Amino acid sequence: MLVPSDNYSDFSSRLATVRARVAAACRSTGRDPASVEILPVTKNHPPVAAEAVARAGLRAVGENRVQEGVAKRAAADPAVHGIERLAWELIGHLQTNKAILAAAHFDRVQSVDSEKLLRHLNRAAGELGKQLPVLLQINAGNDPAKFGAALAIAPQLLEAALACNHLRVDGLMAIAPLGATPVETAAHAARTFGNLRELRDTLTARYGTSLRELSMGMSGDLEAAVAAGSTLVRIGTALFGVRG
Ligand SMILES: *Cc1c(COP(=O)(O)O)cnc(C)c1O
């Protein structure tokens, strides 16, 4: 459901707060804040949310559902400064029957979690005459409720992805499982993000491919993600408020 709200005018102050959190997390782990990108997640929010992101000069937004993202992109006001160069990234689960739509309308798909989906996206990108950037989504927290390829099959998935001529593998993505308590949630986050970072380092060494992007961290756990090496934090609630 879209939130019927027009209070996206406070986006820049919320963005400043999130940037300060990222900067503090970078400072305490000796990282350069410029090495961590903030990806605003506009799911469940109207096109004006994406327009606010474009005005702020950010590179991209994240969307969870294919149709919602496609409709929102089409509905965004073309007169808004920067809207035409705003990139749209799919971060939610993608069914193979929507691979063509996703390949046509998104600039990157972060949620690639099976060889079957790779085949569909590769074929779709080929038909569209484009090279589609992707991230491989890994269930790095071994969460039974989460999508993502099991850690153990990640090498196989990467091999299959590297063989796809019409896909470009930019890196890995993960979502940390929630715990029953804040302490447990924090422990899951640290473990999940540490696993993804370790996997990236292992795969990079083994396949000689850079896997530059580590998409991990959301509103509640961005500090743990930055500490573990995140290059892209996907932020919804902290930038746009609670979704309807
Ligand atoms: C909704 C969503 C986010 C943003 O979550 P917040 O907690 O609102 O920051 C990030 N990643 C994915 C995959 C999401 O679905």
Side-chain angles (χ1 to χ4, degrees):
M1 193 185 76
L2 296 185
V3 181
S5 161
D6 64 352
N7 67 345
Y8 297 94
S9 48
D10 55 0
F11 177 76
S12 49
S13 67
R14 287 172 179 266
L15 178 60
T17 304
V18 171
R19 277 186 171 141
R21 284 177 63 190
V22 169
C26 284
R27 217 175 300 118
S28 61
T29 51
R31 297 190 57 196
D32 177 1
S35 67
V36 184
E37 179 183 353
I38 295 166
L39 179 72
V41 176
T42 46
K43 71 179 184 206
N44 291 21
H45 291 278
V48 288
E51 292 164 10
V53 174
R55 276 196 196 92
L58 298 191
R59 182 188 63 83
V61 292
E63 281 286 333
N64 222 34
R65 284 193 292 269
V66 177
Q67 279 99 334
E68 181 184 335
V70 171
K72 201 172 298 177
R73 188 172 197 169
D77 182 354
V80 167
H81 185 71
I83 198 82
E84 74 291 342
R85 50 173 176 68
L86 188 69
W88 293 68
E89 304 208 15
L90 184 66
I91 61 173
H93 181 66
L94 176 59
Q95 293 169 315
T96 52
N97 63 359
K98 291 180 189 148
I100 293 173
L101 195 61
H105 294 277
F106 284 88
D107 300 292
R108 187 158 67 180
V109 176
Q110 297 200 9
S111 46
V112 179
D113 61 358
S114 72
E115 292 190 36
K116 187 175 170 207
L117 184 55
L118 278 172
R119 280 195 303 275
H120 279 78
L121 284 173
N122 190 47
R123 193 183 318 132
E127 281 165 11
L128 293 159
K130 70 194 266 188
Q131 207 192 27
L132 181 68
V134 298
L135 303 185
L136 303 181
Q137 184 177 354
I138 308 298
N139 189 353
N142 301 309
D143 181 357
K146 282 281 185 295
F147 292 107
L151 275 166
I153 70 147
Q156 194 181 313
L157 189 63
L158 176 60
E159 277 185 32
L162 292 174
C164 291
N165 293 332
H166 303 288
L167 304 181
R168 185 189 80 202
V169 188
D170 284 353
L172 307 177
M173 185 270 240
I175 305 170
L178 287 175
T181 64
V183 171
E184 204 179 286
T185 296
H188 285 328
R191 175 176 57 85
T192 302
F193 301 149
N195 283 347
L196 195 71
R197 164 64 183 271
E198 202 174 296
L199 175 68
R200 198 275 307 269
D201 294 347
T202 303
L203 293 176
T204 297
R206 184 159 148 193
Y207 295 96
T209 180
S210 88
L211 299 176
R212 198 185 56 80
E213 208 83 275
L214 270 184
S215 173
M216 55 189 196
M218 317 198 325
S219 294
D221 56 19
L222 75 82
E223 284 81 3
V226 168
S230 174
T231 62
L232 190 62
V233 290
R234 308 177 307 268
I235 309 296
T237 310
L239 290 173
F240 301 114
V242 177
R243 290 175 289 273

